[in-house]
Structures are given as structure tokens and as C-alpha cells.
Amino acid sequence: MRISYPSSEKVFMKGEIHPELRVAMRKITLTPTATLENGGTRLRENAPVIVYDTSGPYSDPNAEIDLAKGLPKLRRPWTEGRKGTQMSLAKQGIITHEMEYVAIRETMNCREQGIETHITPEFVRQEVAAGRAVIPANVNHPESEPMIIGTNFCVKINTNIGNSHANSSIEEEVEKAVWSCKWGGDTLMDLSTGENITETREWILRNCPVPVGTVPMYQAFEKAGGRAEDLTWEIFRDTLIEQCEQGVDYFTIHCGIRLKNVPLSQGRLTGMVSRGGSIISKWCRVHRRESFLYEHFDDICDICRKYDAAISLGDGLRPGSTFDANDAAQFAELDTMGELVERAWEKDVQAFIEGPGHVPMHKIRENMTRQMEKCHGAPFYTLGPIVTDIAPAYDHITSAIGAAMIGWYGTAMLCYVTPKEHLALPGKNDVREGVVAYKIAAHAADLAKGHPGAAIRDNALSKARYEFRWKDQFNLALDPERALEYWKTSNETGGKYCTMCGPNFCAMRISRSLEDCREDACGRQEA
Amino acid sequence: MRISYPSSEKVFMKGEIHPELRVAMRKITLTPTATLENGGTRLRENAPVIVYDTSGPYSDPNAEIDLAKGLPKLRRPWTEGRKGTQMSLAKQGIITHEMEYVAIRETMNCREQGIETHITPEFVRQEVAAGRAVIPANVNHPESEPMIIGTNFCVKINTNIGNSHANSSIEEEVEKAVWSCKWGGDTLMDLSTGENITETREWILRNCPVPVGTVPMYQAFEKAGGRAEDLTWEIFRDTLIEQCEQGVDYFTIHCGIRLKNVPLSQGRLTGMVSRGGSIISKWCRVHRRESFLYEHFDDICDICRKYDAAISLGDGLRPGSTFDANDAAQFAELDTMGELVERAWEKDVQAFIEGPGHVPMHKIRENMTRQMEKCHGAPFYTLGPIVTDIAPAYDHITSAIGAAMIGWYGTAMLCYVTPKEHLALPGKNDVREGVVAYKIAAHAADLAKGHPGAAIRDNALSKARYEFRWKDQFNLALDPERALEYWKTSNETGGKYCTMCGPNFCAMRISRSLEDCREDACGRQEA
């Protein structure tokens, strides 16, 4: 299970505060630009482009890969003997290894190209201390490379995998995890609900170079025999502890559902579409009691603090259709989440807020504005949103539109959606389609937000395109393999033009020939 | 070459001002909602959904299809003996057949469901008279069903097809045209540059139920032996007349490039990426003269008026990379187009304005704002825009993001982009991917703009989804075939849940079971 990218090299940047840090990234080497000058060919070098790399040791030819052993325990030396969570350490003014790591990782090209950036290790510390950013890093998941989720950092994407009763094996799930990392998934949620749920999670955790999230309610629900009413706080608590021990980095927990708000979803077109949310709502209705997740929130925080696991406040009342977007149920839950996130921070537990779902474009901004206002700057983590409901089989696209927009507005992490959403479990190709669509959305948001250095890759690719350096264009692409494959379908021309325009109609070729005209030709005419 | 959609029927609505009008649309029949009540099953009907239909006679089982004969000449009786263009007639207060046709076509479901709408035949007339909307309908293309392009109507999409020297046959191009209409293309541009260009165009026009556009410069350039400097006004003029005679409904003409503005593109990262634009720019540079397209603009209008062909003012200086977006070259051309569109209107010629291209999200709105300001409300017709350059092979997605946003801001028509953009000529599957991605963008924009009745299809599909009426969900989808195919990949469960969640974890099923709880259960607890 190896990952390789064309013309790419695994490089490592050193830390300064923690000189032993080796921050992994990917360097793409480009070919020189060739121009004809005085009858000869002159070559001008093109600087390599360094890109954010989520592939971990799988793309490092010097790393040993053995699924049975698991990945090297990168973070073990940093956490041994250390007391406190990232948040508590940040509040004490301590810059952890993880904080410096992400500061370097976020600003790869800035260092190389001398671009000013506000993202320093001290800035990271401040953001974590204030709760505006989260570094999900359970002490028991030392295999994971540090990454940061926050509105002032580059937008991240999450990939969901997981088997259900109906489907797939452990090996397949690990392979999907690595596959997701290959295409650029920043975190991975294991949503397995089937048998062997603990074993599957163990394999994924030991072999996953990115943070892993779960929805512990799924396993608790299985333990309760699939009957919501038989759930208890004790079942849930034990499940949470078990998963913390394994190393899960963040937990989606639907603590924001209050008994009084459950009826708000009754007038909806599509009721509740969150699995965890519908389970705890049913529990509330049957027992006519406040949710034990809400009532035991402080206990949940105490457990998470011990492992430095982060809480993702799940939006159980998110809309399942554009019709239900921004309704009273959704916003009532958001208010509760805003109350809970402050309680998490009081206990030094990192937390972020989940968001919709299905929202038409004109209602997207309100989601971000309200979330920022009600949740005190905690990172927002949205599922899309899908901007129209009429395209099942293309929901990676309907949702990439909403994801790009809400990312630009400030959402810190986007949960991917695959073409099979609403229809079936995604296979490997669906994961690829979903991840790439979301890398597009996240990167488009970075460009629009002006993330330092984000445009470097775009500009390098555009320059390669204009100069007919086809291979460089492919190698700089999010999916070099598919770009090359498509190009091959109809190009046998040696690369001086593409079949879109044919040999005589290539605008870029004509445009380039214009540049060889005497610079002042038009100016003179005007004078 | 027949088109069929599942559970769909071709229906026709009559006109009132012109009672002989039969406005074609597609009615999707839904199954009833079944609920258990008092031990028995109760069925509640779901109203059929009428959707905009671009498939023409190909989906009408009563129509004769014979490619050699061409489609029935629908508009011939309307135009015979009629004098003037749609715009001149509108200015005189006359509501043409075409105007009433599009008024009915735009508001299909409103009539059926009693929704108020501002879109009346009189409103259409006013919009056409003011230049805010265009009905592209050459009198020599009577096969085309009337459609309207304007910011106050539903957002349209254009599909590009066309062979180049390298590729494809006439039959393939006609098949691609029909294929584009099947998936929802509202207009079709034939961008052929190869041999048999006139014959290909003739076949497409006689068999195309949607308006056809071209870039006449391509053929003129071929006539000039592929040498920009050998072009003349006379060659261009004769080409334009020839294509008008054939029935081309709108022409992209790069009249907005002025000699003085050509050098503005010199500092760009990707120069000029418009084929027509680069050709006329080269002509200007070589001859050190103002462009003959600009100088002969009034003559161009006189030719177009005679046939009621519309002019699409081409943006030869559009940016070819996000780096070049919104630069001086692009906006200088926009100013010129604003000047030209008023001259077209003086001659009662319908016109619209082409726009970019490659624009990062934060720079999209400025495009729309400036276009509205400088071009006096003329419809905007944009190519995407692509919001990041790093995803060749996925540019239908990078551009659908920008297209949805600019459509919401007011763009009237979106030119599609396929996954093969920048790489190769699109094949049939690429056309399907491109059209569906753009139908998503256009419909998302309609929802966000609040187009009357636009949400009916979304809501019907969401309701079907919530009620596990799978077939209805597929049949209401933009691509019913693919939705069904994906669902089949892993569903053999009889339809009570999908494999995404498995049998015990279906949120919708739990949520629906909650609705059966006593309504007041929670209220009482609260009291």
C-alpha cells in the first residue's frame, strides 16, 4: 500500500522551537521554460511547487509500511510525560510540537518564496488558546501527523468511510482510508456500524496518518441492541472511553438536541436526517426526558480531556432538504451548541461545531454569520451544503458549490459528499471523486480568503498551461493521473496544441506569437 | 434518435393571445404516498411535476423524426409575412408568438399550482423591448422552440459542440446535439473548425430544437487560409450572411477588441485564451489598424437585423487564469461592449454580453456589478467561471461553482465546461457530465434568485426521498438513469432503507417513526 505522485519528492522541513520536528510535505519539480532566442533555445528554470501533503509515510520511500505493525509513532516522544491538552498548554503560553508542526505545514511555499504570513507558531498557539482553532490529536493516536482546523488556516476536508451491516471488509476500509489520504483527505471519519466495529477502528487508527473521528453513538446503539429506548448514559460513557483509549481524535456527539427542541422538526419536509440525532431524539421522546448527552456534557468533557480528544458538536437537527434550511429547529440547536462549546473550553477541551447539510445559496451566509455569533468563533465544520436537491448521483457537485461558498465565508472544515450520497455506500472511485471535488472547494475558498501562498499552485499550473508544458500541468493538478488519461484520449500531436482547438485555432499559440511582435507596434499606431 | 424519460409524458400548454400555440413541456407522474392508518393502507396522491423540457420533438412519440428531412418547422407560420425583429416588435407593443411561448414555458408549474408570477407575456415583451432579455430566433431556423435569455428568467445553459480538424463526423455532431438537448442544454454552439463546416452546420440546424450559435470568425479564418493577416471585412461579411441564411440564431463576434487595448494583455500570465479574440488581435497588430469588426459594427447589425439573429458580444480578452481575472484588459473590453450593445439596440438587434472565464470567488461579484453598470442591463453570458486552476479533468466542477454563484448574482446564461476542458475534445459522456453540472448550477441559481416555482421539483424530490419512494426520487432527478444505476450497485433491500445507513441506522426511518409518537409527549414534559 504505497502512494506515489509524478515528479514529486517527499521533503521535510525542520522546526526552530522544536528542532527535532520534520514536517512532511510534497515537492513537485517542474521543467524549465524553453524560448527561442537568437536562433538558439534558452531555458529558464521554474521553481518547484511545495504542496500540502496528507499521504503520510505511504508516500515516503524510506518509510517501512506494514499494516500489521502500524505506522511509526511520530508523536509518542512529544506527548510522553506531557500534561494537559493542546488547549490548556496554549492557554499557559506553551507552543507544543503540534503547534509548530502545523504552523510550518500551513505555510509551505511562503517560506520558500519569501511571502509574509501571519501564521506563526505563536499565532497557532493564540488561536488554539482562544478556541478559534482545533488540533485534533488524541495522545493515543501518535501515528497521526498534526493538522489544524480553524477559520484562519487553510480549509480542510473530511472523508467518511465505514462499513455497514450490508457491506465491505476491514482490509477494504483500511485501503479506503489510505486512498482518501492519497487524494488529500485531511481527516477521516470511521462511520462503521457493522460487525467487527472495534477491530476495524483499530486497524484504521494504527495505519492512518490523519486524525480519525467517529460517532460513538453508533457503537452504543449496537450495544443497546439497535433500540434507542434501551440506551443509557453508562453504555454511551463506556463506549466513549473505549474509543478514547484506542486513539480516536474527535467525536461527533449530538449534545445539542434538547427535549424541548425535538418537536421543532415535526413540521419539516424531511424530518431528521442525522442518524445520531434521530436516535437520541427518539430516546428523549420515549423517556420524556432531557437527553443524557446534554445532561452529562461535563462528564463527556472530562473523559475527552484525559486523552485530548476533541468534541465535534453534531448537528442532529440539520436540514435534510433545501426546504428545511435555516429553520427554527436548526437554529435552536445551534444556540445550544454555542452554550456547550464554552463549557468545553472551560474544561480545556477542544471543540468545533457541525453545520448543514442542505441549504440554497442565498441562505448559506446566514449559517456562517449565526454560527460565528452564537458559537464564539469556534471552528465550523459543514456537510456541503448541498444547494439543490434535484441531482442525486451528482451530490459531490451540488454540495461542492455550497462547500466552496461557506468555506470562503469562514467554515474551517468541509465534510465531503460522494456521488453516491443518498443512493448507496461509496466505492473507491466515489471516494476519489468526492475528495477531489472537496479539495477543489477547499482550495477555491483558500484563494478567495487570500490564504498566504494559496495562489502559487494555480499560477504555476496556469503558466505551464500557457507554455505547453503539459506534464507540468498534469503534475501540478489535484488528480495528475486523470488529467493525463483524459489528455491521452485524443492527443497525439506532440503537445504544441490540444485537440480542443486543433492546430490552427489555438488561442494560446496565437497569443504567444503576438508577444513576439514589436512591443511598440500598437502604441505607435495610437500616437 | 429518440429521447425518453422515465414516468414522463410530453404535454403541451395552449396560448391565450395566440391560441394556436402548443408549448411543450415534460410532466413527471409520481406514485402516491402510502401510510398505515387504522390497520389499512391509505394512499395520498402526489401532484405531478412539470419540468422545463429542451428535448423538442425527440421526446414526442407522435412526432416523426427523420434527420434527412429535419424537424417540423414550428415557427414558420408565425414568421411568415411578419416584419421586424423581436426587439422592434416589442418596442411597438406587439407580443409575438415567441414571447407568449416563453412566458408559458418559464412558468410551467406556477399555472398548475396557482403560484403568482411576474412572468407574463407582457412582461416578456417589456424585457425584450428594454434589451434586458433576448429571444434568439433567426427566421431561418423555424425548427427551434422559443426560449429567453435574461436575468429575470430562469438561468439557461449553453453546450458547445463541434469538430476540429482532428476529430469526429457529421453524424456524431448531430447525435451530440440531440444528446445535449436530452440532458437539458438550452442553446447549442457549433464551434466546428474542420472540413465540411457548412454541411455540419446545416445538419445541426435542421435537426436542432434549441437555438444554435456560432463564432463566424472560425469559418472566415479557414477561408483566409488560417492566416489572421489575410482576413478582410469582406470575407467575414460573406461568412456572416451565409450563416444567417442557414439560420444561426446568435453569433459570437469579438467586436469589443480595440487596437489600443490589445497591448493590455501583454503583462498577463496567460495572454489571450479566446480563439476569435486572438485572431482579430493578431490582425490588428499586424496591420496596425483598428479591428474591422469594431469599425463595421453597424454593418454587422444591419445583417443580423434582417434575419433577427442576435449578437453575442464575445469577450476576446477574458482571463485564462485566476491570476489574470478582473484586469485592465478584461474591463476595457467590457466598456467597449457596453458602448456597442446600445448601438445594436438602436438598430433593433438583440444582443448579449459574454463574460469570463477564470475568476476566484471573491472577484466574481465585481464582474456582474460592472457588467450591469456598463452594459445597461443586457444579459450576461459567462463561461463558468472557473474558480481555481488546479483541477484539470474536473473543470466541470471548478466552473460549476463559479457558474452557480454568478447565476445567482444575475448572469442569464452559463456556457458549460466539460471535464475535458483544457485537455481534449469532449466525447458523449463528457457532454452529459458538463450539461448536468451546469443544470445544477443554473437551477441552484434559480432557487437562490427565487424564480417562481423553481423549488417545486426540489421539494417533490425531497418528499419522495423521505417517504422512500425511490423511483419517484430517481424520476425527478436531473439524471434519472445514473441515479438508478448507482442505487442498484448496492441495494437489494426492497427499498425500506439504503445501504448508506443499513437497516437499523436509517435516520429518516427513525425520524418518521417519531412522527407517530403522540404529538404532545414532549410538550407535557416541559409543562
Side-chain angles (χ1 to χ4, degrees):
Chain A
M1 229 177 270
R2 287 282 179 186
I3 294 173
S4 73
Y5 304 103
S7 288
S8 296
E9 187 189 343
K10 192 96 181 171
V11 294
F12 297 90
M13 286 195 194
K14 280 188 184 164
E16 287 174 17
I17 300 165
H18 301 287
E20 69 272 33
L21 281 186
R22 291 172 76 242
V23 182
M25 35 198 79
R26 172 179 153 216
K27 184 163 97 174
I28 305 171
T29 305
L30 305 180
T31 60
T33 299
T35 45
L36 282 174
E37 274 175 38
N38 305 323
T41 303
R42 180 169 160 187
L43 299 179
R44 281 190 187 82
E45 291 222 340
N46 287 295
V49 175
I50 295 177
V51 299
Y52 198 105
D53 184 10
T54 55
S55 61
Y58 294 99
S59 59
D60 181 357
N62 300 317
E64 188 197 351
I65 301 293
D66 178 344
L67 295 193
K69 272 193 187 170
L71 296 177
K73 302 194 183 314
L74 172 73
R75 297 196 303 114
R76 181 68 84 222
W78 312 344
T79 57
E80 263 171 355
R82 193 171 74 186
K83 295 264 182 259
T85 67
Q86 298 289 336
M87 189 174 215
S88 70
L89 295 165
K91 286 179 183 171
Q92 294 163 42
I94 296 166
I95 294 171
T96 62
H97 286 77
E98 288 85 350
M99 293 174 202
E100 188 179 20
Y101 193 105
V102 300
I104 296 170
R105 197 174 190 188
E106 290 274 325
T107 55
M108 318 143 289
N109 274 298
C110 298
R111 290 186 163 214
E112 288 279 295
Q113 305 209 2
I115 296 170
E116 277 286 329
T117 168
H118 60 282
I119 301 177
T120 61
E122 168 58 18
F123 178 77
V124 171
R125 185 197 65 72
Q126 288 169 17
E127 292 289 290
V128 172
R132 279 192 302 269
V134 167
I135 300 177
N138 184 320
V139 290
N140 288 342
H141 186 208
E143 298 87 353
S144 170
E145 293 176 353
M147 56 81 70
I148 192 161
I149 301 165
T151 191
N152 293 318
F153 299 93
C154 67
V155 177
K156 305 303 187 297
I157 70 163
N158 172 68
T159 303
N160 291 332
I161 63 167
N163 56 6
S164 75
H165 276 279
N167 233 309
S168 63
S169 69
I170 291 175
E171 291 71 19
E172 275 172 352
E173 293 307 312
V174 175
E175 204 187 323
K176 257 191 234 167
V178 176
W179 182 247
S180 151
C181 295
K182 168 174 173 166
W183 296 111
D186 293 290
T187 69
L188 187 82
M189 288 197 81
D190 172 20
L191 302 184
S192 294
T193 57
E195 289 153 33
N196 308 319
I197 194 171
T198 305
E199 201 187 340
T200 305
R201 191 185 313 121
E202 185 65 23
W203 277 79
I204 291 173
L205 277 163
R206 300 289 76 79
N207 290 289
C208 191
V210 303
V212 172
T214 64
V215 187
M217 178 58 88
Y218 295 173
Q219 188 173 9
F221 186 63
E222 299 269 6
K223 289 184 186 172
R227 293 169 50 88
E229 50 275 37
D230 291 350
L231 277 165
T232 60
W233 158 244
E234 289 71 23
I235 294 178
F236 184 84
R237 179 197 61 199
D238 293 348
T239 308
L240 187 64
I241 292 171
E242 177 194 327
Q243 298 197 8
C244 276
E245 283 288 333
Q246 280 190 300
V248 173
D249 299 287
Y250 66 93
F251 296 105
T252 291
I253 309 181
H254 299 91
C255 309
I257 291 185
R258 308 254 343 235
L259 176 66
K260 64 176 179 182
N261 295 332
V262 171
L264 292 177
S265 74
Q266 296 289 305
R268 282 182 158 182
L269 185 59
T270 49
M272 253 178 280
V273 295
S274 152
R275 289 189 268 173
S278 64
I279 292 167
I280 194 67
S281 296
K282 184 160 187 182
W283 188 93
C284 292
R285 289 296 292 259
V286 172
H287 294 288
R288 300 187 186 180
R289 279 195 54 183
E290 191 64 89
S291 144
F292 60 77
L293 297 176
Y294 179 80
E295 293 196 324
H296 284 278
F297 186 69
D298 288 337
D299 299 317
I300 290 171
C301 289
D302 288 337
I303 294 167
C304 288
R305 181 178 47 200
K306 190 176 160 197
Y307 303 88
D308 203 0
I311 297 175
S312 182
L313 287 160
D315 55 336
L317 293 171
R318 67 171 178 271
S321 56
T322 51
F323 183 87
D324 290 338
N326 297 18
D327 71 353
Q330 183 194 333
F331 285 146
E333 186 180 31
L334 189 67
D335 292 349
T336 308
M337 295 197 281
E339 172 202 321
L340 295 175
V341 78
E342 286 193 314
R343 281 166 57 190
W345 292 345
E346 276 166 31
K347 289 183 174 283
D348 294 333
V349 172
Q350 302 187 95
F352 44 101
I353 314 289
E354 295 189 10
H358 294 241
V359 185
M361 282 192 288
H362 63 300
K363 293 189 174 176
I364 291 178
R365 194 183 282 274
E366 188 186 1
N367 277 277
M368 195 67 234
T369 315
R370 279 184 88 115
Q371 191 274 347
M372 281 186 175
E373 185 194 321
K374 301 286 183 182
C375 300
H376 325 287
F380 206 22
Y381 165 35
T382 61
L383 179 60
I386 281 170
V387 296
T388 165
D389 301 305
I390 66 171
Y394 296 83
D395 278 326
H396 60 313
I397 300 178
T398 62
S399 67
I401 293 168
M405 289 173 69
I406 207 163
W408 171 29
Y409 298 158
T411 288
M413 185 155 77
L414 307 168
C415 182
Y416 92 155
V417 171
T418 78
K420 294 243 174 79
E421 181 78 18
H422 299 117
L423 299 170
L425 272 179
K428 264 185 85 174
N429 188 54
D430 304 306
V431 171
R432 177 180 178 174
E433 299 276 352
V435 173
V436 176
Y438 271 69
K439 290 302 278 186
I440 288 169
H443 185 75
D446 287 342
L447 279 183
K449 292 201 307 185
H451 184 78
I456 290 171
R457 188 173 185 175
D458 294 77
N459 299 345
L461 192 146
S462 295
K463 184 167 188 279
R465 181 174 280 160
Y466 192 59
E467 293 172 355
F468 299 105
R469 289 184 284 114
W470 289 99
K471 283 190 181 165
D472 288 350
Q473 189 189 151
F474 307 148
N475 296 343
L476 285 162
L478 283 179
D479 187 341
E481 295 167 34
R482 186 164 293 175
L484 175 62
E485 173 198 325
Y486 282 2
W487 183 79
K488 276 187 179 169
T489 56
S490 58
N491 286 280
E492 307 288 340
T493 61
K496 288 290 173 211
Y497 58 91
C498 64
T499 53
M500 285 201 66
C501 302
N504 296 328
F505 276 87
C506 177
M508 287 198 171
R509 214 162 58 100
I510 298 170
S511 174
R512 276 166 61 81
S513 80
L514 274 182
E515 290 176 19
D516 303 334
C517 293
R518 291 226 314 280
E519 284 284 333
D520 57 347
C522 298
R524 249 194 273 161
Q525 177 71 9
E526 276 292 299
Chain B
M1 229 177 267
R2 288 279 179 187
I3 293 173
S4 73
Y5 305 103
S7 287
S8 296
E9 187 189 344
K10 191 96 183 172
V11 295
F12 297 91
M13 286 195 192
K14 280 188 184 166
E16 288 173 15
I17 300 165
H18 302 286
E20 69 274 31
L21 280 186
R22 292 173 75 241
V23 182
M25 37 199 78
R26 174 180 151 213
K27 185 162 95 175
I28 304 171
T29 305
L30 305 181
T31 59
T33 299
T35 45
L36 282 175
E37 276 176 37
N38 303 324
T41 303
R42 180 167 162 191
L43 299 178
R44 282 189 186 83
E45 291 223 340
N46 287 296
V49 175
I50 296 177
V51 299
Y52 198 104
D53 183 11
T54 56
S55 61
Y58 294 98
S59 59
D60 181 357
N62 300 316
E64 187 197 351
I65 301 292
D66 179 343
L67 294 193
K69 271 191 186 171
L71 297 177
K73 298 191 187 315
L74 171 74
R75 297 196 302 117
R76 179 70 83 223
W78 312 346
T79 57
E80 262 171 357
R82 192 171 74 186
K83 294 261 185 266
T85 65
Q86 298 289 338
M87 189 174 215
S88 70
L89 295 164
K91 286 178 183 171
Q92 294 164 45
I94 297 166
I95 294 171
T96 62
H97 287 77
E98 288 85 351
M99 292 173 204
E100 188 180 19
Y101 193 105
V102 301
I104 297 170
R105 196 175 193 188
E106 291 274 326
T107 56
M108 318 142 290
N109 274 300
C110 298
R111 289 187 164 213
E112 289 279 296
Q113 307 210 359
I115 297 170
E116 278 284 331
T117 167
H118 61 281
I119 301 176
T120 62
E122 170 58 17
F123 178 77
V124 170
R125 185 197 66 71
Q126 288 169 18
E127 291 291 288
V128 172
R132 279 191 302 269
V134 167
I135 300 177
N138 185 319
V139 291
N140 289 342
H141 186 207
E143 298 86 354
S144 169
E145 293 175 353
M147 56 80 70
I148 193 162
I149 301 164
T151 191
N152 292 319
F153 300 93
C154 67
V155 177
K156 305 303 186 298
I157 70 162
N158 171 68
T159 303
N160 291 331
I161 61 166
N163 56 7
S164 74
H165 275 277
N167 233 309
S168 63
S169 71
I170 291 175
E171 291 72 19
E172 275 172 352
E173 293 308 312
V174 176
E175 206 187 323
K176 254 189 237 169
V178 176
W179 183 247
S180 150
C181 294
K182 167 176 176 167
W183 296 110
D186 293 289
T187 70
L188 186 81
M189 289 197 81
D190 172 22
L191 303 184
S192 295
T193 56
E195 287 152 35
N196 309 317
I197 192 168
T198 305
E199 202 187 340
T200 304
R201 193 186 309 121
E202 185 66 23
W203 276 79
I204 290 174
L205 277 161
R206 299 291 73 81
N207 290 289
C208 190
V210 303
V212 173
T214 63
V215 187
M217 178 58 89
Y218 295 172
Q219 188 173 11
F221 185 63
E222 299 269 6
K223 290 183 185 172
R227 291 168 51 90
E229 51 274 37
D230 291 350
L231 278 164
T232 61
W233 157 244
E234 289 72 22
I235 294 176
F236 184 84
R237 180 197 61 201
D238 294 348
T239 307
L240 186 63
I241 292 171
E242 177 194 328
Q243 298 196 9
C244 275
E245 282 288 333
Q246 281 190 300
V248 172
D249 299 287
Y250 66 93
F251 296 105
T252 292
I253 309 181
H254 299 90
C255 308
I257 292 184
R258 306 250 350 230
L259 177 65
K260 64 177 177 182
N261 293 333
V262 172
L264 292 177
S265 74
Q266 296 289 306
R268 283 181 158 183
L269 185 60
T270 50
M272 254 177 280
V273 294
S274 152
R275 290 188 269 174
S278 64
I279 292 168
I280 196 66
S281 295
K282 183 159 188 182
W283 187 93
C284 292
R285 289 296 292 259
V286 172
H287 294 288
R288 301 187 185 179
R289 281 197 52 185
E290 192 63 271
S291 144
F292 60 78
L293 296 176
Y294 179 80
E295 292 197 325
H296 285 278
F297 187 69
D298 288 337
D299 300 316
I300 290 170
C301 290
D302 288 337
I303 294 166
C304 289
R305 181 177 49 200
K306 191 175 162 197
Y307 303 88
D308 202 1
I311 297 175
S312 182
L313 288 159
D315 54 336
L317 294 171
R318 69 171 176 271
S321 55
T322 50
F323 183 86
D324 291 339
N326 296 18
D327 71 352
Q330 183 194 333
F331 285 147
E333 186 180 32
L334 188 67
D335 291 349
T336 309
M337 296 196 279
E339 171 202 321
L340 295 175
V341 79
E342 286 195 312
R343 281 165 59 189
W345 292 345
E346 276 165 32
K347 289 181 173 285
D348 294 331
V349 173
Q350 302 187 96
F352 44 101
I353 314 290
E354 295 188 11
H358 294 241
V359 185
M361 283 193 286
H362 63 300
K363 293 189 175 179
I364 291 178
R365 195 183 282 273
E366 188 186 2
N367 278 276
M368 195 66 233
T369 314
R370 280 184 87 116
Q371 192 274 348
M372 281 186 176
E373 183 194 323
K374 301 287 184 181
C375 299
H376 324 288
F380 205 22
Y381 166 34
T382 61
L383 178 61
I386 282 170
V387 296
T388 164
D389 302 305
I390 66 170
Y394 296 83
D395 278 327
H396 59 314
I397 299 177
T398 62
S399 67
I401 294 168
M405 290 174 68
I406 207 163
W408 171 29
Y409 298 158
T411 287
M413 185 157 76
L414 307 168
C415 182
Y416 92 156
V417 170
T418 79
K420 293 244 174 80
E421 182 79 18
H422 298 118
L423 298 170
L425 272 178
K428 265 184 85 174
N429 188 55
D430 304 306
V431 170
R432 177 180 180 175
E433 299 276 353
V435 172
V436 176
Y438 271 69
K439 292 302 278 188
I440 289 169
H443 185 75
D446 287 343
L447 279 184
K449 292 201 308 184
H451 184 79
I456 290 171
R457 188 174 186 175
D458 294 76
N459 298 346
L461 192 146
S462 295
K463 185 168 186 280
R465 181 174 281 160
Y466 192 58
E467 293 172 355
F468 299 106
R469 290 184 282 113
W470 288 99
K471 281 190 182 166
D472 288 350
Q473 188 189 152
F474 306 149
N475 296 342
L476 286 162
L478 283 179
D479 187 341
E481 297 167 33
R482 186 163 293 174
L484 175 61
E485 174 197 325
Y486 281 2
W487 182 79
K488 276 188 177 168
T489 56
S490 57
N491 285 281
E492 308 288 340
T493 61
K496 289 289 171 208
Y497 59 90
C498 64
T499 53
M500 285 200 66
C501 302
N504 295 329
F505 276 88
C506 179
M508 288 197 172
R509 213 161 58 99
I510 299 170
S511 174
R512 274 164 64 79
S513 79
L514 275 183
E515 291 175 20
D516 303 334
C517 293
R518 292 225 313 281
E519 284 285 333
D520 58 346
C522 297
R524 250 193 272 159
Q525 176 72 9
E526 275 293 298

